[in-house]
Amino acid sequence: MMKLSKQSRKITILNAASGIVSDKGIFNLTLEAVAKEAGISKGGLLYHFPSKEALVKGMVEHLAQNYQHKISDNVERDPLERGKWTRSFLNVTFNQGYPNKDMHAGLLAAKAVNPKLMAPLHDAYEKWQNNIENDGLDPIDATIIRLAADGIWLAELLEHYNIDDEKKKEVYKRLHEWIQDLYIKAEKKEKDSN
């Protein structure tokens, strides 16, 4: 039997916890249920996450770090300075989401267990919003684009209305075109003022 690394074991536990929240609801998230789902002893679970609150905090931190890493990577690879944070946020939200959609359920668990556990995500959003507002594009339009991307993400998280894949692609395309138009306008404005 292959031995999992400490980080792999943590991911297995976080996936188990998020699966329980997603499939059975927050009230069924117990350390015993997570240990059973992850295929480890409760003691093994407690080694990594000493409480339910620590487990939920771990889910939020893991998700926030994953998105921060992806957005930063996209920003670094973007050859255009102006609009890179807005493009990156849009691209990651639509095309590079967390592979296990259940992990988003950790956010719902955090809100239910202790809203302060949402701090890693709040901090990430504060940075993203600041970068988007100072991205060289119209800050209001860039914010509307971020909010539209968040709307799709939240609709999928809450499963209250999921648009079909084709329509989602069209929404992404339209928002991306909007960013391109904002880029062109900003470049023209800067050129005209010089």
Side-chain angles (χ1 to χ4, degrees):
M1 185 172 160
M2 186 175 83
K3 188 171 179 164
L4 292 175
S5 72
K6 196 183 254 192
Q7 189 61 24
S8 296
R9 178 66 69 188
K10 278 186 164 186
I11 302 300
T12 299
I13 294 167
L14 294 174
N15 283 332
S18 60
I20 289 169
V21 174
S22 182
D23 296 340
K24 299 175 184 169
I26 181 64
F27 298 112
N28 291 299
L29 181 68
T30 65
L31 296 177
E32 293 80 10
V34 173
K36 182 178 178 184
E37 184 73 22
I40 62 171
S41 68
K42 186 175 176 186
L45 170 68
L46 291 171
Y47 172 77
H48 295 288
F49 300 101
S51 67
K52 182 177 174 178
E53 192 167 286
L55 176 63
V56 172
K57 181 180 179 190
M59 291 167 35
V60 174
E61 286 175 344
H62 177 70
L63 193 64
Q65 288 169 0
N66 180 272
Y67 278 99
Q68 285 175 312
H69 179 70
K70 287 178 182 177
I71 290 171
S72 294
D73 280 356
N74 277 263
V75 165
E76 287 178 25
R77 288 194 311 268
D78 194 326
L80 302 173
E81 186 65 27
R82 186 185 308 273
K84 65 184 177 182
W85 285 96
T86 308
R87 280 188 298 279
S88 179
F89 189 90
L90 180 68
N91 187 27
V92 169
T93 304
F94 271 77
N95 303 316
Q96 299 173 31
Y98 194 84
N100 177 359
K101 293 290 184 196
D102 287 347
M103 189 60 74
H104 295 102
L107 302 177
L108 301 175
K111 193 73 173 160
V113 170
N114 179 351
K116 291 179 182 176
L117 298 177
M118 294 288 289
L121 193 62
H122 291 165
D123 294 345
Y125 263 98
E126 191 174 313
K127 290 174 189 167
W128 293 330
Q129 182 62 33
N130 183 55
N131 288 328
I132 285 169
E133 287 179 10
N134 295 288
D135 207 13
L137 305 177
D138 178 278
I140 299 300
D141 286 332
T143 297
I144 292 169
I145 291 167
R146 183 195 63 84
L147 292 170
D150 276 345
I152 293 286
W153 177 74
L154 283 170
E156 290 175 353
L157 170 64
L158 300 175
E159 297 176 339
H160 66 327
Y161 175 72
N162 291 330
I163 60 175
D164 62 59
D165 288 343
E166 195 54 44
K167 191 176 283 183
K168 185 176 176 180
K169 286 178 189 174
E170 289 300 314
V171 170
Y172 171 78
K173 181 181 173 193
R174 181 78 54 91
L175 291 170
H176 194 268
E177 289 169 352
W178 188 3
I179 294 170
Q180 289 174 307
D181 290 345
L182 292 171
Y183 177 89
I184 291 167
K185 285 179 187 173
E187 288 286 308
K188 184 179 182 326
K189 184 177 178 181
E190 185 176 300
K191 185 179 176 183
D192 290 349
S193 67
N194 288 333

